[in-house]
Amino acid sequence: MSKETLLEVEDLHTYFYLGDKVAKAVDGVDFNVHKGETVAIVGESGSGKSITSLSIMRLIPQPPGKIVSGSVKLEGRDLLALSDKEMTNVRGDDIAMIFQEPMTSLNPVYTVGEQIAEMLLRHKKVKTKKEGKAKAVELLQQVGFPRAEETVKEHPHQLSGGMRQRVMIAMAMSCDPKLLIADEPTTALDVTIQAQILELMQSVKEKYHSSILMITHDLGVVAEMADRILVMYGGQIVENTSKYKLFTDAKHPYTEGLLASMPTIEEDKERLESISGTVPPADNFPQGCRFAPRCQYAMEACTKEVPALREVEPGHYVRCILYDENQGGTAHDS
Amino acid sequence: MTVNEKTAQADETEAAADREVLVEVKNLKKYFPVKGGILKRTVGNVKAVDDVSFKIYKGETLGIVGESGSGKSTLGRMMMRLIDSTEGSITFKGQEITNVRQGKVRPLRKDMQMIFQDPYASLNPRMSIGEIIEEPMVVQDLHDKEERQRIAGDLLETVGLSREARDKYPHEFSGGQRQRIGIARALSTRPQFIIGDEPVSALDVSIQSQVINLMEDLQDDFDLTYMFIAHDLSVVKHISDRVAVMYLGRLAEIAPIDSLYKEPLHPYTQALISAVPSTDVTKKKERVVLEGDLPSPSNPPSGCPFHTRCPEAHERCRTERPELTDIGNDHYVACHLYTDPETGEVIRD
């Protein structure tokens, strides 16, 4: 089974220098995204999931932020080594991004059509503005606008949240990117609109044969969309496995706790499990395993050093000493 | 099968006999005028809440779900008397509170409190935690200073914080801890009824479950009745006994959670429940994806407000507005599919 790798992130470290403090927002992240695959990064606020995606796009505000080390390779080409100008071409042509709040990503003073046309011109997909506007109508039709000819003449404030997100998806897909990064794309939307947008993302992905890297805190959305899931905690990936494995056989105590603390519409839980304590701040991570202070299985060895992300079964990676034989791990299941 | 209306009524009286009504809302409306032209004349109304009636029984949790613009928060604010209603009545423990003048509302708030969504905006950053929790007691003129301080300390422990937190300020706490402080403040006057307006929506999953568990424990310890407003159907299902579904200012359906989630009757409720992403990866789920957006509440569709997006809409839905109808077993629905157009009798198969 050989899958072609599209994106390869290796040992990525992104730090923020705030006065005399260093916030290790992303601290040693490794993962791959294969062609045609949807990978989701899940985590709570402060886990480093958004900073990971911004680092891939090289959109980290600098200073105070800095990609300290690591590499981000798109089809073998190291994005971190590119000049700013080359990177500008990668954004949009090769990797496109959509954000949580589409209103802040659209310019309020231009019409939707003008913005799409400008971007098509910028990426040399069309030669004239007029051609760009015609293409904009076509793109909007593809993402489900029934009256696309009128919508291109409207300003962003005239559209609803769901419609704005459709515009963003249309713009993102217009240059046929290899990778679409979606940072909480449906978090600001109502549930019936969310269902529409998720369905649209699935269909554009199939149509354009692109890969999706999705950042979200919503495990339900992940279960709908992802092929593979990365769970982040304290700037590191603590578990990396297929969607099916994650929801049926989660191994890291944090993932377990997260799943147990979530009310679901299918089951009736008498009482929700909860993880005590709060997410540690990035400038003050505990020694050793970052989850240890909140972990019900924590033992002395956990506070000594950060456990490695180990492959515990094919394609299933866990950062926990319970699964490390050398450390006297005991939690192997047959 | 046609349910005999008499049996339905008998069921209701039987069920209602051992339930005490704490809050009753009747035909409640809130219209916000839309001003236009140079004379700023009223040119229309946004019907945020449009003719809503329901009861909340003592000791239960009534969940209110709906998408943005459905009027769920406006409803909560009217019931707290934070805003005046346009029409209709609100009764609390048998006492009409709709027309109590703003100046006289204060004593009511002793019994009714609210927990807000944004734990960052709802605590005054210049007040210490102790002052924040004591304030409702000061306003209500309850206890002397020492007693108030003692109660504030006790409440902090009740909600899982330390007594020492009294001397700290809101910025020193995380979102989840601030929501605990908001809960302690709401409890300080020993209310009987608490309205939570999206109280856990801004919190991370692992913190959200801590706060939900806390609210459930407090309900038992303090004999509280909750109205829990939220957009998250899974959370509402977990915490509520009954759920009311709102759409464009009107109630679409109200029922106990078991029947609402297992057998939703209103096409909107069905779509809403099927739109919730499922975490059960072993099953493939059939989904009803609704077309289009919520229509504007300033220009709601004629007839049934949902007919523009409803997969089951027919001629009658475009012209005649369905009323909330009792279809038995404490289940009410506002949809023409469940009443006979000729006789008005309840149909259910």
Side-chain angles (χ1 to χ4, degrees):
Chain A
M1 192 174 75
S2 76
K3 283 186 240 159
E4 251 183 287
T5 304
L6 175 72
L7 180 80
E8 218 178 334
V9 176
E10 254 174 54
D11 201 29
L12 184 70
H13 293 260
T14 304
Y15 294 175
F16 286 81
Y17 297 89
L18 308 157
D20 51 354
K21 286 180 179 163
V22 182
K24 299 178 176 179
V26 175
D27 201 14
V29 163
D30 297 87
F31 66 93
N32 293 338
V33 178
H34 300 296
K35 287 201 174 146
E37 190 183 32
T38 300
V39 175
I41 305 183
V42 291
E44 299 181 280
S45 346
S47 61
K49 57 190 192 301
S50 285
I51 302 299
T52 303
S53 67
L54 292 174
S55 302
I56 294 168
M57 286 294 265
R58 284 189 35 199
L59 290 172
I60 297 292
Q62 195 171 347
K66 191 174 191 307
I67 298 172
V68 181
S69 61
S71 72
V72 176
K73 288 189 184 126
L74 187 76
E75 295 183 311
R77 186 155 75 130
D78 191 350
L79 301 183
L80 301 185
L82 297 182
S83 70
D84 286 350
K85 202 170 161 220
E86 287 169 317
M87 191 60 208
T88 311
N89 289 328
V90 169
R91 292 185 208 118
D93 278 345
D94 296 323
I95 310 180
M97 190 158 182
I98 55 175
F99 298 90
Q100 175 174 349
E101 188 22 88
M103 192 63 208
T104 53
S105 326
L106 290 166
N107 190 329
V109 300
Y110 292 103
T111 66
V112 169
E114 283 166 342
Q115 297 188 50
I116 299 178
E118 187 208 333
M119 191 206 51
L120 291 167
L121 270 175
R122 165 72 191 72
H123 288 281
K124 300 190 176 70
K125 297 289 164 188
V126 292
K127 290 195 182 68
T128 63
K129 230 177 181 166
K130 206 175 156 207
E131 207 184 318
K133 283 194 182 163
K135 180 90 171 124
V137 174
E138 194 185 307
L139 284 167
L140 289 184
Q141 278 164 346
Q142 284 172 10
V143 294
F145 278 94
R147 325 170 284 116
E149 292 86 0
E150 285 129 70
T151 311
V152 287
K153 295 183 197 129
E154 285 177 329
H155 288 86
H157 75 268
Q158 292 169 285
L159 307 178
S160 68
M163 283 153 79
R164 283 182 213 135
Q165 200 59 290
R166 278 174 197 272
V167 171
M168 291 308 296
I169 292 173
M171 289 174 84
M173 299 319 287
S174 63
C175 297
D176 199 0
K178 297 173 182 119
L179 178 68
L180 174 67
I181 300 181
D183 190 352
E184 304 269 10
T186 59
T187 307
L189 305 176
D190 281 316
V191 59
T192 59
I193 309 299
Q194 166 171 291
Q196 293 173 359
I197 296 294
L198 294 181
E199 194 157 273
L200 174 66
M201 286 178 66
Q202 278 296 12
S203 73
V204 295
K205 180 195 146 184
E206 277 154 31
K207 185 161 171 234
Y208 291 90
H209 307 289
S210 47
S211 308
I212 297 179
L213 178 64
M214 186 148 170
I215 317 297
T216 181
H217 71 284
D218 188 330
L219 287 157
V221 168
V222 166
E224 293 283 321
M225 293 289 290
D227 300 312
R228 211 148 43 79
I229 297 167
L230 316 172
V231 182
M232 279 192 80
Y233 188 85
Q236 297 173 330
I237 290 173
V238 295
E239 188 153 3
N240 171 352
T241 185
S242 71
K243 167 172 83 184
Y244 186 82
K245 272 280 172 195
L246 191 100
F247 285 100
T248 54
D249 186 22
K251 298 233 185 277
H252 197 283
Y254 174 64
T255 318
E256 267 178 16
L258 212 52
L259 290 170
S261 57
M262 186 181 59
T264 67
I265 202 152
E266 289 92 11
E267 337 161 45
D268 297 312
K269 289 178 185 165
E270 191 50 41
R271 195 171 171 80
L272 298 174
E273 299 284 328
S274 63
I275 307 174
S276 62
T278 51
V279 177
D283 57 13
N284 191 17
F285 284 133
Q287 188 87 56
C289 172
R290 286 171 188 176
F291 185 60
R294 301 176 72 189
C295 181
Q296 53 174 325
Y297 308 109
M299 42 194 157
E300 213 197 317
C302 297
T303 58
K304 297 241 163 73
E305 59 180 313
V306 178
L309 189 64
R310 268 189 202 82
E311 190 165 17
V312 296
E313 57 189 338
H316 192 159
Y317 300 82
V318 184
R319 191 187 288 282
C320 177
I321 62 166
L322 289 175
Y323 299 95
D324 180 4
E325 286 163 55
N326 303 329
Q327 297 277 348
T330 50
H332 310 284
D333 39 8
S334 50
Chain B
M1 186 184 74
T2 310
V3 173
N4 188 321
E5 271 186 66
K6 274 182 190 156
T7 4
Q9 264 171 8
D11 277 356
E12 201 212 357
T13 36
E14 204 179 295
D18 54 349
R19 289 195 295 185
E20 187 188 327
V21 176
L22 186 72
V23 187
E24 182 164 9
V25 168
K26 263 194 198 148
N27 305 106
L28 198 63
K29 293 179 184 172
K30 178 70 195 179
Y31 293 176
F32 292 102
V34 179
K35 308 270 183 189
I38 40 168
L39 296 173
K40 297 275 174 242
R41 264 197 286 245
T42 304
V43 294
N45 283 306
V46 172
K47 297 178 176 177
V49 173
D50 193 13
D51 203 0
V52 163
S53 307
F54 60 87
K55 292 176 184 144
I56 300 178
Y57 299 102
K58 197 169 189 307
E60 78 166 344
T61 300
L62 176 71
I64 308 274
V65 294
E67 299 181 276
S68 25
S70 62
K72 55 191 192 306
S73 291
T74 306
L75 176 67
R77 281 161 201 268
M78 268 195 286
M79 291 170 69
M80 275 304 287
R81 290 298 315 275
L82 292 171
I83 53 175
D84 285 327
S85 47
T86 309
E87 239 183 272
S89 79
I90 306 162
T91 320
F92 181 73
K93 289 204 292 181
Q95 187 203 345
E96 167 78 38
I97 61 167
T98 333
N99 296 314
V100 175
R101 278 186 292 120
Q102 272 303 341
K104 307 260 176 174
V105 168
R106 194 165 281 172
L108 294 174
R109 302 240 164 91
K110 183 177 166 296
D111 293 326
M112 299 167 81
Q113 286 284 332
M114 194 155 185
I115 307 171
F116 297 92
Q117 170 171 4
D118 188 344
Y120 291 86
S122 54
L123 303 180
N124 186 338
R126 291 167 183 270
M127 284 167 78
S128 74
I129 303 307
E131 286 165 348
I132 287 171
I133 297 174
E134 287 162 42
E135 197 183 27
M137 294 187 272
V138 175
V139 170
Q140 295 293 343
D141 202 14
L142 298 172
H143 320 295
D144 56 36
K145 195 171 180 208
E146 247 169 75
E147 178 70 359
R148 286 197 293 260
Q149 284 175 347
R150 191 188 60 76
I151 293 174
D154 289 350
L155 283 171
L156 280 168
E157 284 180 352
T158 310
V159 298
L161 297 168
S162 71
R163 287 193 104 82
E164 286 66 51
R166 238 176 27 200
D167 302 322
K168 293 187 180 169
Y169 285 83
H171 73 264
E172 297 175 70
F173 295 91
S174 68
Q177 290 169 327
R178 285 179 207 216
Q179 204 55 297
R180 290 174 189 269
I181 295 164
I183 292 171
R185 173 178 62 186
L187 290 174
S188 66
T189 61
R190 286 300 200 123
Q192 299 169 35
F193 180 50
I194 292 185
I195 297 179
D197 189 357
E198 304 266 12
V200 299
S201 308
L203 307 176
D204 275 318
V205 184
S206 72
I207 308 300
Q208 176 177 295
S209 65
Q210 294 172 2
V211 173
I212 291 173
N213 286 344
L214 173 67
M215 285 184 70
E216 288 183 330
D217 293 343
L218 295 173
Q219 182 162 36
D220 295 342
D221 297 348
F222 289 76
D223 290 325
L224 294 169
T225 304
Y226 286 142
M227 182 164 112
F228 193 95
I229 302 168
H231 68 281
D232 185 324
L233 283 119
S234 315
V235 170
V236 167
K237 180 180 180 222
H238 181 80
I239 201 164
S240 307
D241 300 301
R242 288 189 307 138
V243 173
V245 181
M246 287 188 79
Y247 187 79
L248 274 188
R250 297 179 62 86
L251 283 183
E253 189 162 3
I254 178 166
I257 49 159
D258 281 341
S259 48
L260 191 93
Y261 283 83
K262 288 204 183 79
E263 205 189 337
L265 295 177
H266 199 287
Y268 177 61
T269 315
Q270 290 168 359
L272 205 58
I273 289 173
S274 91
V276 176
S278 164
T279 50
D280 188 347
V281 291
T282 55
K283 274 193 286 224
K284 184 97 186 132
K285 186 167 152 182
E286 282 301 314
R287 163 163 300 163
V288 194
V289 173
L290 286 181
E291 298 287 321
D293 278 316
L294 203 71
S296 156
S298 62
N299 184 20
S302 62
C304 173
F306 185 56
H307 86 254
T308 52
R309 300 170 77 194
C310 182
E312 313 252 9
H314 50 280
E315 192 44 44
R316 191 179 166 204
C317 307
R318 283 180 264 279
T319 51
E320 191 189 329
R321 192 151 80 176
E323 295 303 322
L324 198 65
T325 309
D326 182 358
I327 60 135
N329 298 325
D330 210 13
H331 200 136
Y332 297 75
V333 64
C335 177
H336 288 314
L337 293 174
Y338 304 97
T339 54
D340 188 290
E342 305 295 321
T343 62
E345 265 183 46
V346 174
I347 314 165
R348 204 176 168 186
D349 41 31

